[in-house]
């Protein structure tokens, strides 16, 4: 977003940009009250979401995908886990006491030795985050979320938290990768698919979410089409 804003200023120096609140739900709520903004969401918008917006001040909401964001499961570099399957991923983020298993320790997803009884510590975003909503809907199929060890205000800080927690784990976009965390390959049909750009661009890495911008079509004419 910042890169786009900087680029637009080269052609339209009269335009000013202000950053809104973090979190997809906060952005959706903000455009419902102020249809003049451009809102960003890191989760797909459903027809129900759009219908709900139409009942607010945002009369003609239009959501369109502007990018794809592959998500990686990050752990501390000391963690010996080689890969994780979709079922294991679900068991990590699904709360205990549901109809499917919950992985509370690293032994529950196959680690042995000193890691077997070590607790899995989830680092996450808050409930207003698109990342959290994506996990709730697409990773655990609407089931209750497992409790997080720490909640962070950005995906960057999720990775910073994992970098300082040997037992830590969390989901964030590829763009947050850094040498202090390790991205875990996905185990798909017996193959370990690395969580890297090459796998994503080759169409082999399936864990991808859309990044969406939302505007109110009814106010777009007020800026000469600049939106």
């Amino acid at each position: 977003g910042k890169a786009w804003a900087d680029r637009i200023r080269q052609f339209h120096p009269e335009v000013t940009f202000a950053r809104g609140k973090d979190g997809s739900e906060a952005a959706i709520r903000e455009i419902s009250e102020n249809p003049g903004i451009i809102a960003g969401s890191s989760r797909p918008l459903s027809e129900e979401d759009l219908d709900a917006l139409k009942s607010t001040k945002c009369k003609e909401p239009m959501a369109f995908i502007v990018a794809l964001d592959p998500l990686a499961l990050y752990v501390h570099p000391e963690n010996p886990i080689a890969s994780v399957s979709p079922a294991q991923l679900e068991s990590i983020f699904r709360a205990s006491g549901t109809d499917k298993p919950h992985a509370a320790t690293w032994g529950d997803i196959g680690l042995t030795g000193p890691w077997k009884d070590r607790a899995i510590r989830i680092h996450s975003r808050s409930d207003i985050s698109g990342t959290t909503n994506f996990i709730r809907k697409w990773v655990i199929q609407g089931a209750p979320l497992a409790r997080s060890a720490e909640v962070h205000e950005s995906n960057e800080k999720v990775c910073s938290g994992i970098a300082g927690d040997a037992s830590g784990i969390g989901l964030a976009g590829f763009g947050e990768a850094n040498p202090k965390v390790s991205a875990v390959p996905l185990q798909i049909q017996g193959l370990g698919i690395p969580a890297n750009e090459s796998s994503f661009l080759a169409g082999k890495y399936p864990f991808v979410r859309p990044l969406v911008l939302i505007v109110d079509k009814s106010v777009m004419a007020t800026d000469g089409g600049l939106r």
Side-chain angles (χ1 to χ4, degrees):
K2 181 182 183 303
W4 282 339
D6 290 344
R7 187 67 170 169
I8 289 172
R9 284 194 193 97
Q10 294 182 24
F11 299 94
H12 297 277
E14 77 282 3
V15 174
T16 58
F17 290 87
R19 179 176 173 172
K21 297 176 181 177
D22 281 332
S24 300
E25 304 312 306
I28 294 169
R29 186 164 56 249
E30 190 171 352
I31 198 170
S32 74
E33 299 166 356
N34 177 12
I37 71 162
I38 299 172
S41 172
S42 57
R43 67 167 179 84
L45 263 71
S46 65
E47 288 299 322
E48 289 78 10
D49 291 323
L50 294 173
D51 287 341
L53 275 174
K54 289 175 186 175
S55 66
T56 68
K57 293 180 181 179
C58 182
K59 299 305 180 186
E60 290 186 66
M62 183 170 65
F64 47 97
I65 295 171
V66 291
L68 296 176
D69 185 31
L71 292 171
L73 185 72
Y74 292 103
V75 297
H76 192 276
E78 292 178 4
N79 192 312
I81 190 168
S83 64
V84 63
S85 70
Q88 288 173 326
L89 196 62
E90 182 178 356
S91 72
I92 292 166
F93 288 96
R94 178 184 281 264
S96 59
T98 60
D99 58 340
K100 290 186 178 180
H102 165 65
T105 69
W106 289 101
D108 290 337
I109 55 172
L111 293 192
T112 58
W115 283 84
K116 181 180 178 182
D117 297 321
R118 186 179 286 196
I120 294 174
R121 290 173 47 85
I122 298 172
H123 291 255
S124 71
R125 297 287 308 281
S126 70
D127 283 343
I128 65 168
S129 157
T131 306
T132 298
N133 275 279
F134 185 85
I135 293 169
R136 183 181 285 117
K137 185 168 184 178
W138 298 103
V139 177
I140 62 172
Q141 315 301 318
L145 276 167
R147 177 176 242 172
S148 297
E150 287 190 50
V151 176
H152 304 272
E153 64 182 27
S154 70
N155 285 334
E156 179 184 10
K157 291 188 176 179
V158 166
C159 285
S160 295
I162 296 166
D165 182 359
S167 295
I169 195 169
L171 282 166
F174 277 17
E176 307 305 334
N178 66 71
K180 296 181 179 179
V181 293
S182 178
V184 182
L186 276 180
Q187 189 78 11
I188 306 292
Q189 295 180 341
L191 296 175
I193 309 297
N196 60 32
E197 192 172 282
S198 296
S199 297
F200 168 57
L201 293 176
K204 296 177 181 178
Y205 191 83
F207 198 38
V208 180
R209 64 177 175 178
L211 299 182
V212 176
L213 290 184
I214 312 155
V215 295
D216 185 344
K217 195 174 179 181
S218 65
V219 302
M220 285 178 67
T222 63
D223 63 13
L226 190 58
R227 277 183 190 76

